[in-house]
Structure formats: structure tokens, C-alpha cells
């Protein structure tokens, strides 16, 4: 069973999440931020992950804390669900278009956190989501998943660019968590 169930409560947010890496792509997402819910639904669907998120937070301030803390919990859930990483492919990549937008994502579940992201957005917001928080979401996620992630997106429609980035991340992660046999893919013998 490659799944995780995590709850995190702070003075700013309350997040409950369930993740199944071997799911069917079903999602029940409720963060109160419509566009963010759309991105997380897309991530679950295209990754074939079952994902449940019930998140509340201080949206009266802005959406920063809720998006950041959701990323922290999702990163922790990914790390918990892959466990000791025995048999996983470890590396994943995807190149996904959406109309004029194109995202390239490459990742390594090798245990070291690092994000390289090349993404520029012209709009300050898409729906209720500040576009500055896209990079921050992936920073918080990679740190907590102990993942190395390189992501690039081009295009001119910010909705398309962000959505194809989440889809490419989903496909790359699905490939990285795939069971390919036995053993740890590392000369160290541990990830």
C-alpha cells in the first residue's frame, strides 16, 4: 500500500490530506481557492493518483499560507507514500503541451531537495491565485518530498502555462514512483 494520510494544523491553516500513488486519478479537493483546486484536481487526474484534500486557512489575509501549507503536506505525503523507495524508477520526466503553452518537468526522488524553475507570468493572478505562489508551491513541495525538480514552461496564457506545469509534474511523478523491480536505484544502496 503506497499511500499516506497526513493532518497539519497551525494558527493559519488546517489541512487534512490522503494520497494513494496507485489510485485511479480520483480527487476530492476543497481549499477554497477555485483555481488551485483545479490545479490539484488536474495533478491527481493526470498522475493517476487518488487525492483527498480538505484545507481551510486565513484566506481573509490572502491565499499564501494555505497554498504553502498544502504544498508542505503534499510533499510529506509523497515522501511517506514512496517509503523506502524500494523498486521505484526514481527519475521521471514529462513534456506536456496545452495550446500555446509547453511545460518540461524532470524530477529525481533521490532524497535531495532542489528546485530549478523557469516560469514567468504576465498576470498577477489567475482566478483567486497569485501567480507568484506557483513557484513557492513547488519550492515547498520539493523541500518536503526530498525531491529534485527542474521545470520550465513557455507560452503567453498564464492559465495554460500553470495548468500544463501541474500536468507535466503529475506525469513526471507518476513515472518516478512506478515500481520497476526490486532494490534501490543508487550506488549508495539507499535514497
Amino acid at each position: 500500500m503506497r499511500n499516506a494520510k497526513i493532518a497539519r494544523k497551525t494558527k493559519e491553516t488546517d489541512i487534512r490530506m490522503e494520497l494513494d500513488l496507485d489510485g485511479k486519478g480520483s480527487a476530492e479537493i476543497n481549499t477554497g481557492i477555485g483555481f488551485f483546486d483545479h490545479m490539484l484536481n488536474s495533478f491527481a487526474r493526470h498522475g493517476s493518483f487518488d487525492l483527498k484534500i480538505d484545507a481551510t486557512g486565513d484566506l481573509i489575509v490572502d491565499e499564501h499560507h494555505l497554498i504553502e501549507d498544502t504544498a508542505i503536506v503534499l510533499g510529506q505525503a509523497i515522501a511517506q507514500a514512496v517509503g523506502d523507495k524500494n523498486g521505484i524508477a526514481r527519475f521521471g520526466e514529462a513534456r506536456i503541451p496545452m495550446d500555446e503553452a509547453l511545460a518540461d518537468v524532470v524530477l529525481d526522488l533521490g532524497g535531495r531537495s532542489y528546485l530549478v524553475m523557469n516560469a514567468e507570468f504576465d498576470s498577477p493572478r489567475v482566478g483567486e491565485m497569485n501567480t507568484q505562489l506557483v513557484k513557492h508551491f513547488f519550492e515547498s513541495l520539493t523541500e518536503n518530498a526530498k525531491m529534485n525538480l527542474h521545470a520550465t514552461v513557455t507560452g503567453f496564457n498564464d492559465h495554460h502555462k500553470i495548468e500544463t506545469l501541474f500536468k507535466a509534474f503529475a506525469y513526471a511523478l507518476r513515472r518516478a514512483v512506478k515500481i520497476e523491480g526490486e532494490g534501490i536505484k543508487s550506488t549508495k544502496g539507499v535514497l
Side-chain angles (χ1 to χ4, degrees):
M1 299 288 287
R2 299 187 318 147
N3 52 42
K5 186 174 183 178
I6 297 179
R8 182 177 194 264
K9 186 171 183 167
T10 71
K11 291 181 179 180
E12 298 167 337
T13 64
D14 185 359
I15 299 168
R16 290 172 302 287
M17 183 180 301
E18 295 179 33
L19 172 68
D20 183 350
L21 295 178
D22 300 310
K24 304 282 188 211
S26 69
E28 295 175 31
I29 312 293
N30 182 22
T31 68
I33 306 166
F35 184 71
F36 187 46
D37 288 358
H38 179 47
M39 294 303 97
L40 294 168
N41 271 288
S42 186
F43 163 75
R45 175 62 130 187
H46 290 278
S48 296
F49 308 125
D50 289 346
L51 181 62
K52 292 182 183 178
I53 301 174
D54 186 21
T56 57
D58 56 356
L59 292 179
I60 196 162
V61 175
D62 70 10
E63 69 278 20
H64 183 106
H65 299 141
L66 190 62
I67 289 173
E68 176 181 52
D69 288 5
T70 300
I72 289 169
V73 175
L74 182 56
Q76 292 171 346
I78 291 167
Q80 183 177 322
V82 295
D84 67 2
K85 303 176 186 173
N86 183 39
I88 67 167
R90 177 180 168 179
F91 302 100
E93 64 174 324
R95 188 170 204 219
I96 304 293
M98 183 174 183
D99 297 342
E100 89 299 340
L102 178 65
D104 288 288
V105 172
V106 181
L107 62 86
D108 174 13
L109 293 174
R112 294 194 304 252
S113 305
Y114 204 90
L115 174 68
V116 177
M117 180 175 274
N118 296 306
E120 294 182 15
F121 304 108
D122 295 321
S123 306
R125 307 185 79 72
V126 175
E128 304 124 353
M129 185 171 170
N130 185 321
T131 54
Q132 290 180 350
L133 294 176
V134 174
K135 183 175 182 183
H136 190 55
F137 171 84
F138 284 104
E139 285 171 336
S140 298
L141 188 147
T142 56
E143 181 178 333
N144 286 275
K146 303 297 183 213
M147 171 191 304
N148 179 210
L149 176 68
H150 289 249
T152 300
V153 66
T154 59
F156 57 81
N157 181 300
D158 287 341
H159 181 128
H160 293 167
K161 288 163 63 176
I162 296 167
E163 186 167 348
T164 195
L165 189 58
F166 272 79
K167 288 176 180 176
F169 172 65
Y171 275 94
L173 183 62
R174 183 173 76 184
R175 291 172 178 151
V177 301
K178 181 181 177 186
I179 300 294
E180 293 189 333
E182 291 291 322
I184 302 292
K185 288 199 173 175
S186 172
T187 56
K188 297 177 181 70
V190 66
L191 292 175

PDB file of all heavy atoms in Angstrom, residues 75-103:
ATOM      1  N   GLY A  75       4.001  17.386  -0.176  1.00  0.00           N
ATOM      2  CA  GLY A  75       5.377  16.886  -0.208  1.00  0.00           C
ATOM      3  C   GLY A  75       5.612  15.803   0.821  1.00  0.00           C
ATOM      4  O   GLY A  75       6.214  14.762   0.535  1.00  0.00           O
ATOM      5  N   GLN A  76       5.105  16.006   2.033  1.00  0.00           N
ATOM      6  CA  GLN A  76       5.232  14.992   3.088  1.00  0.00           C
ATOM      7  C   GLN A  76       4.487  13.718   2.711  1.00  0.00           C
ATOM      8  O   GLN A  76       4.965  12.611   2.971  1.00  0.00           O
ATOM      9  CB  GLN A  76       4.694  15.545   4.409  1.00  0.00           C
ATOM     10  CG  GLN A  76       5.533  16.652   4.998  1.00  0.00           C
ATOM     11  CD  GLN A  76       4.875  17.342   6.189  1.00  0.00           C
ATOM     12  OE1 GLN A  76       3.681  17.186   6.445  1.00  0.00           O
ATOM     13  NE2 GLN A  76       5.663  18.126   6.918  1.00  0.00           N
ATOM     14  N   ALA A  77       3.325  13.879   2.091  1.00  0.00           N
ATOM     15  CA  ALA A  77       2.536  12.706   1.688  1.00  0.00           C
ATOM     16  C   ALA A  77       3.253  11.905   0.607  1.00  0.00           C
ATOM     17  O   ALA A  77       3.264  10.676   0.650  1.00  0.00           O
ATOM     18  CB  ALA A  77       1.149  13.147   1.202  1.00  0.00           C
ATOM     19  N   ILE A  78       3.864  12.583  -0.348  1.00  0.00           N
ATOM     20  CA  ILE A  78       4.622  11.886  -1.389  1.00  0.00           C
ATOM     21  C   ILE A  78       5.771  11.115  -0.753  1.00  0.00           C
ATOM     22  O   ILE A  78       5.987   9.936  -1.041  1.00  0.00           O
ATOM     23  CB  ILE A  78       5.132  12.879  -2.462  1.00  0.00           C
ATOM     24  CG1 ILE A  78       3.957  13.438  -3.271  1.00  0.00           C
ATOM     25  CG2 ILE A  78       6.161  12.211  -3.377  1.00  0.00           C
ATOM     26  CD1 ILE A  78       4.310  14.648  -4.136  1.00  0.00           C
ATOM     27  N   ALA A  79       6.524  11.770   0.128  1.00  0.00           N
ATOM     28  CA  ALA A  79       7.653  11.115   0.799  1.00  0.00           C
ATOM     29  C   ALA A  79       7.194   9.900   1.601  1.00  0.00           C
ATOM     30  O   ALA A  79       7.830   8.840   1.560  1.00  0.00           O
ATOM     31  CB  ALA A  79       8.376  12.111   1.702  1.00  0.00           C
ATOM     32  N   GLN A  80       6.095  10.042   2.315  1.00  0.00           N
ATOM     33  CA  GLN A  80       5.584   8.928   3.116  1.00  0.00           C
ATOM     34  C   GLN A  80       5.107   7.787   2.226  1.00  0.00           C
ATOM     35  O   GLN A  80       5.368   6.618   2.503  1.00  0.00           O
ATOM     36  CB  GLN A  80       4.442   9.421   4.007  1.00  0.00           C
ATOM     37  CG  GLN A  80       3.886   8.353   4.939  1.00  0.00           C
ATOM     38  CD  GLN A  80       2.798   8.925   5.848  1.00  0.00           C
ATOM     39  OE1 GLN A  80       2.888  10.048   6.316  1.00  0.00           O
ATOM     40  NE2 GLN A  80       1.773   8.124   6.091  1.00  0.00           N
ATOM     41  N   ALA A  81       4.421   8.114   1.147  1.00  0.00           N
ATOM     42  CA  ALA A  81       3.847   7.081   0.283  1.00  0.00           C
ATOM     43  C   ALA A  81       4.905   6.277  -0.463  1.00  0.00           C
ATOM     44  O   ALA A  81       4.715   5.079  -0.696  1.00  0.00           O
ATOM     45  CB  ALA A  81       2.861   7.706  -0.710  1.00  0.00           C
ATOM     46  N   VAL A  82       6.021   6.885  -0.846  1.00  0.00           N
ATOM     47  CA  VAL A  82       7.068   6.113  -1.537  1.00  0.00           C
ATOM     48  C   VAL A  82       7.915   5.315  -0.554  1.00  0.00           C
ATOM     49  O   VAL A  82       8.649   4.418  -0.967  1.00  0.00           O
ATOM     50  CB  VAL A  82       7.970   6.975  -2.458  1.00  0.00           C
ATOM     51  CG1 VAL A  82       7.196   7.550  -3.606  1.00  0.00           C
ATOM     52  CG2 VAL A  82       8.716   8.043  -1.701  1.00  0.00           C
ATOM     53  N   GLY A  83       7.818   5.628   0.721  1.00  0.00           N
ATOM     54  CA  GLY A  83       8.506   4.837   1.749  1.00  0.00           C
ATOM     55  C   GLY A  83      10.000   4.778   1.549  1.00  0.00           C
ATOM     56  O   GLY A  83      10.651   5.799   1.331  1.00  0.00           O
ATOM     57  N   ASP A  84      10.546   3.560   1.579  1.00  0.00           N
ATOM     58  CA  ASP A  84      11.998   3.404   1.433  1.00  0.00           C
ATOM     59  C   ASP A  84      12.441   3.457  -0.028  1.00  0.00           C
ATOM     60  O   ASP A  84      13.612   3.315  -0.324  1.00  0.00           O
ATOM     61  CB  ASP A  84      12.476   2.110   2.091  1.00  0.00           C
ATOM     62  CG  ASP A  84      11.962   0.856   1.391  1.00  0.00           C
ATOM     63  OD1 ASP A  84      11.261   0.955   0.355  1.00  0.00           O
ATOM     64  OD2 ASP A  84      12.261  -0.252   1.882  1.00  0.00           O
ATOM     65  N   LYS A  85      11.505   3.619  -0.955  1.00  0.00           N
ATOM     66  CA  LYS A  85      11.756   3.790  -2.395  1.00  0.00           C
ATOM     67  C   LYS A  85      12.254   2.528  -3.075  1.00  0.00           C
ATOM     68  O   LYS A  85      12.774   2.578  -4.193  1.00  0.00           O
ATOM     69  CB  LYS A  85      12.692   4.967  -2.645  1.00  0.00           C
ATOM     70  CG  LYS A  85      12.167   6.263  -2.056  1.00  0.00           C
ATOM     71  CD  LYS A  85      13.135   7.405  -2.209  1.00  0.00           C
ATOM     72  CE  LYS A  85      12.604   8.630  -1.478  1.00  0.00           C
ATOM     73  NZ  LYS A  85      13.574   9.709  -1.450  1.00  0.00           N
ATOM     74  N   ASN A  86      12.071   1.391  -2.409  1.00  0.00           N
ATOM     75  CA  ASN A  86      12.486   0.114  -2.996  1.00  0.00           C
ATOM     76  C   ASN A  86      11.721  -0.146  -4.295  1.00  0.00           C
ATOM     77  O   ASN A  86      10.499  -0.144  -4.316  1.00  0.00           O
ATOM     78  CB  ASN A  86      12.235  -1.028  -2.005  1.00  0.00           C
ATOM     79  CG  ASN A  86      12.712  -2.364  -2.537  1.00  0.00           C
ATOM     80  OD1 ASN A  86      13.757  -2.457  -3.174  1.00  0.00           O
ATOM     81  ND2 ASN A  86      11.935  -3.404  -2.288  1.00  0.00           N
ATOM     82  N   GLY A  87      12.467  -0.343  -5.375  1.00  0.00           N
ATOM     83  CA  GLY A  87      11.882  -0.725  -6.647  1.00  0.00           C
ATOM     84  C   GLY A  87      11.364   0.394  -7.519  1.00  0.00           C
ATOM     85  O   GLY A  87      10.965   0.157  -8.660  1.00  0.00           O
ATOM     86  N   ILE A  88      11.336   1.644  -7.015  1.00  0.00           N
ATOM     87  CA  ILE A  88      10.780   2.720  -7.837  1.00  0.00           C
ATOM     88  C   ILE A  88      11.751   3.122  -8.947  1.00  0.00           C
ATOM     89  O   ILE A  88      12.964   2.939  -8.843  1.00  0.00           O
ATOM     90  CB  ILE A  88      10.393   3.963  -7.012  1.00  0.00           C
ATOM     91  CG1 ILE A  88      11.622   4.652  -6.415  1.00  0.00           C
ATOM     92  CG2 ILE A  88       9.355   3.624  -5.956  1.00  0.00           C
ATOM     93  CD1 ILE A  88      11.335   6.053  -5.844  1.00  0.00           C
ATOM     94  N   ALA A  89      11.197   3.703 -10.003  1.00  0.00           N
ATOM     95  CA  ALA A  89      12.026   4.178 -11.119  1.00  0.00           C
ATOM     96  C   ALA A  89      12.963   5.293 -10.670  1.00  0.00           C
ATOM     97  O   ALA A  89      14.038   5.456 -11.216  1.00  0.00           O
ATOM     98  CB  ALA A  89      11.135   4.656 -12.256  1.00  0.00           C
ATOM     99  N   ARG A  90      12.562   6.078  -9.705  1.00  0.00           N
ATOM    100  CA  ARG A  90      13.302   7.183  -9.108  1.00  0.00           C
ATOM    101  C   ARG A  90      13.263   8.454  -9.950  1.00  0.00           C
ATOM    102  O   ARG A  90      13.003   9.521  -9.445  1.00  0.00           O
ATOM    103  CB  ARG A  90      14.752   6.810  -8.818  1.00  0.00           C
ATOM    104  CG  ARG A  90      15.570   7.944  -8.269  1.00  0.00           C
ATOM    105  CD  ARG A  90      16.992   7.612  -7.974  1.00  0.00           C
ATOM    106  NE  ARG A  90      17.771   8.811  -7.710  1.00  0.00           N
ATOM    107  CZ  ARG A  90      19.045   8.808  -7.403  1.00  0.00           C
ATOM    108  NH1 ARG A  90      19.721   7.674  -7.293  1.00  0.00           N
ATOM    109  NH2 ARG A  90      19.681   9.942  -7.192  1.00  0.00           N
ATOM    110  N   PHE A  91      13.527   8.351 -11.235  1.00  0.00           N
ATOM    111  CA  PHE A  91      13.540   9.509 -12.118  1.00  0.00           C
ATOM    112  C   PHE A  91      12.257   9.551 -12.942  1.00  0.00           C
ATOM    113  O   PHE A  91      11.717   8.513 -13.320  1.00  0.00           O
ATOM    114  CB  PHE A  91      14.732   9.465 -13.075  1.00  0.00           C
ATOM    115  CG  PHE A  91      16.057   9.399 -12.368  1.00  0.00           C
ATOM    116  CD1 PHE A  91      16.725   8.194 -12.232  1.00  0.00           C
ATOM    117  CD2 PHE A  91      16.643  10.540 -11.839  1.00  0.00           C
ATOM    118  CE1 PHE A  91      17.943   8.111 -11.587  1.00  0.00           C
ATOM    119  CE2 PHE A  91      17.853  10.480 -11.185  1.00  0.00           C
ATOM    120  CZ  PHE A  91      18.515   9.260 -11.054  1.00  0.00           C
ATOM    121  N   GLY A  92      11.794  10.750 -13.251  1.00  0.00           N
ATOM    122  CA  GLY A  92      10.627  10.905 -14.100  1.00  0.00           C
ATOM    123  C   GLY A  92      10.732  12.180 -14.909  1.00  0.00           C
ATOM    124  O   GLY A  92      11.360  13.147 -14.473  1.00  0.00           O
ATOM    125  N   GLU A  93      10.129  12.150 -16.081  1.00  0.00           N
ATOM    126  CA  GLU A  93      10.138  13.343 -16.917  1.00  0.00           C
ATOM    127  C   GLU A  93       8.850  13.399 -17.728  1.00  0.00           C
ATOM    128  O   GLU A  93       8.204  12.374 -17.968  1.00  0.00           O
ATOM    129  CB  GLU A  93      11.335  13.343 -17.866  1.00  0.00           C
ATOM    130  CG  GLU A  93      11.298  12.211 -18.873  1.00  0.00           C
ATOM    131  CD  GLU A  93      12.417  12.309 -19.892  1.00  0.00           C
ATOM    132  OE1 GLU A  93      12.780  13.420 -20.295  1.00  0.00           O
ATOM    133  OE2 GLU A  93      12.910  11.243 -20.288  1.00  0.00           O
ATOM    134  N   ALA A  94       8.492  14.600 -18.133  1.00  0.00           N
ATOM    135  CA  ALA A  94       7.314  14.773 -18.984  1.00  0.00           C
ATOM    136  C   ALA A  94       7.433  16.088 -19.735  1.00  0.00           C
ATOM    137  O   ALA A  94       7.952  17.082 -19.201  1.00  0.00           O
ATOM    138  CB  ALA A  94       6.037  14.755 -18.162  1.00  0.00           C
ATOM    139  N   ARG A  95       6.948  16.065 -20.953  1.00  0.00           N
ATOM    140  CA  ARG A  95       6.870  17.272 -21.784  1.00  0.00           C
ATOM    141  C   ARG A  95       5.434  17.356 -22.264  1.00  0.00           C
ATOM    142  O   ARG A  95       4.989  16.519 -23.059  1.00  0.00           O
ATOM    143  CB  ARG A  95       7.837  17.173 -22.949  1.00  0.00           C
ATOM    144  CG  ARG A  95       7.967  18.433 -23.734  1.00  0.00           C
ATOM    145  CD  ARG A  95       9.123  18.343 -24.708  1.00  0.00           C
ATOM    146  NE  ARG A  95       9.572  19.685 -25.007  1.00  0.00           N
ATOM    147  CZ  ARG A  95       9.954  20.062 -26.210  1.00  0.00           C
ATOM    148  NH1 ARG A  95       9.973  19.198 -27.206  1.00  0.00           N
ATOM    149  NH2 ARG A  95      10.330  21.300 -26.408  1.00  0.00           N
ATOM    150  N   ILE A  96       4.694  18.327 -21.755  1.00  0.00           N
ATOM    151  CA  ILE A  96       3.253  18.395 -21.971  1.00  0.00           C
ATOM    152  C   ILE A  96       2.867  19.754 -22.568  1.00  0.00           C
ATOM    153  O   ILE A  96       3.202  20.797 -22.004  1.00  0.00           O
ATOM    154  CB  ILE A  96       2.493  18.189 -20.635  1.00  0.00           C
ATOM    155  CG1 ILE A  96       2.896  16.875 -19.966  1.00  0.00           C
ATOM    156  CG2 ILE A  96       0.986  18.281 -20.850  1.00  0.00           C
ATOM    157  CD1 ILE A  96       2.490  15.625 -20.694  1.00  0.00           C
ATOM    158  N   PRO A  97       2.131  19.727 -23.696  1.00  0.00           N
ATOM    159  CA  PRO A  97       1.624  20.985 -24.260  1.00  0.00           C
ATOM    160  C   PRO A  97       0.191  21.260 -23.805  1.00  0.00           C
ATOM    161  O   PRO A  97      -0.539  20.357 -23.418  1.00  0.00           O
ATOM    162  CB  PRO A  97       1.644  20.696 -25.759  1.00  0.00           C
ATOM    163  CG  PRO A  97       1.309  19.240 -25.840  1.00  0.00           C
ATOM    164  CD  PRO A  97       1.930  18.602 -24.606  1.00  0.00           C
ATOM    165  N   MET A  98      -0.187  22.502 -23.857  1.00  0.00           N
ATOM    166  CA  MET A  98      -1.581  22.908 -23.712  1.00  0.00           C
ATOM    167  C   MET A  98      -1.752  24.160 -24.565  1.00  0.00           C
ATOM    168  O   MET A  98      -1.320  25.246 -24.188  1.00  0.00           O
ATOM    169  CB  MET A  98      -1.954  23.189 -22.258  1.00  0.00           C
ATOM    170  CG  MET A  98      -3.416  23.532 -22.085  1.00  0.00           C
ATOM    171  SD  MET A  98      -3.857  23.673 -20.342  1.00  0.00           S
ATOM    172  CE  MET A  98      -5.603  23.974 -20.516  1.00  0.00           C
ATOM    173  N   ASP A  99      -2.326  23.968 -25.725  1.00  0.00           N
ATOM    174  CA  ASP A  99      -2.441  25.048 -26.705  1.00  0.00           C
ATOM    175  C   ASP A  99      -1.061  25.645 -26.964  1.00  0.00           C
ATOM    176  O   ASP A  99      -0.152  24.934 -27.352  1.00  0.00           O
ATOM    177  CB  ASP A  99      -3.470  26.097 -26.258  1.00  0.00           C
ATOM    178  CG  ASP A  99      -4.880  25.516 -26.156  1.00  0.00           C
ATOM    179  OD1 ASP A  99      -5.127  24.439 -26.729  1.00  0.00           O
ATOM    180  OD2 ASP A  99      -5.724  26.141 -25.505  1.00  0.00           O
ATOM    181  N   GLU A 100      -0.870  26.938 -26.695  1.00  0.00           N
ATOM    182  CA  GLU A 100       0.411  27.588 -26.984  1.00  0.00           C
ATOM    183  C   GLU A 100       1.459  27.339 -25.903  1.00  0.00           C
ATOM    184  O   GLU A 100       2.638  27.634 -26.094  1.00  0.00           O
ATOM    185  CB  GLU A 100       0.192  29.094 -27.163  1.00  0.00           C
ATOM    186  CG  GLU A 100       0.279  29.940 -25.912  1.00  0.00           C
ATOM    187  CD  GLU A 100      -0.727  29.615 -24.804  1.00  0.00           C
ATOM    188  OE1 GLU A 100      -1.778  28.990 -25.058  1.00  0.00           O
ATOM    189  OE2 GLU A 100      -0.453  29.972 -23.644  1.00  0.00           O
ATOM    190  N   ALA A 101       1.063  26.799 -24.762  1.00  0.00           N
ATOM    191  CA  ALA A 101       1.965  26.611 -23.620  1.00  0.00           C
ATOM    192  C   ALA A 101       2.625  25.236 -23.682  1.00  0.00           C
ATOM    193  O   ALA A 101       2.030  24.265 -24.151  1.00  0.00           O
ATOM    194  CB  ALA A 101       1.203  26.762 -22.313  1.00  0.00           C
ATOM    195  N   LEU A 102       3.855  25.176 -23.211  1.00  0.00           N
ATOM    196  CA  LEU A 102       4.609  23.921 -23.190  1.00  0.00           C
ATOM    197  C   LEU A 102       5.404  23.846 -21.897  1.00  0.00           C
ATOM    198  O   LEU A 102       6.153  24.760 -21.564  1.00  0.00           O
ATOM    199  CB  LEU A 102       5.561  23.848 -24.388  1.00  0.00           C
ATOM    200  CG  LEU A 102       6.450  22.607 -24.472  1.00  0.00           C
ATOM    201  CD1 LEU A 102       5.614  21.345 -24.675  1.00  0.00           C
ATOM    202  CD2 LEU A 102       7.466  22.764 -25.597  1.00  0.00           C
ATOM    203  N   ALA A 103       5.230  22.743 -21.173  1.00  0.00           N
ATOM    204  CA  ALA A 103       5.953  22.541 -19.911  1.00  0.00           C
ATOM    205  C   ALA A 103       6.857  21.327 -20.016  1.00  0.00           C
ATOM    206  O   ALA A 103       6.461  20.292 -20.554  1.00  0.00           O
ATOM    207  CB  ALA A 103       4.978  22.365 -18.762  1.00  0.00           C
TER     208      ALA A 103
END
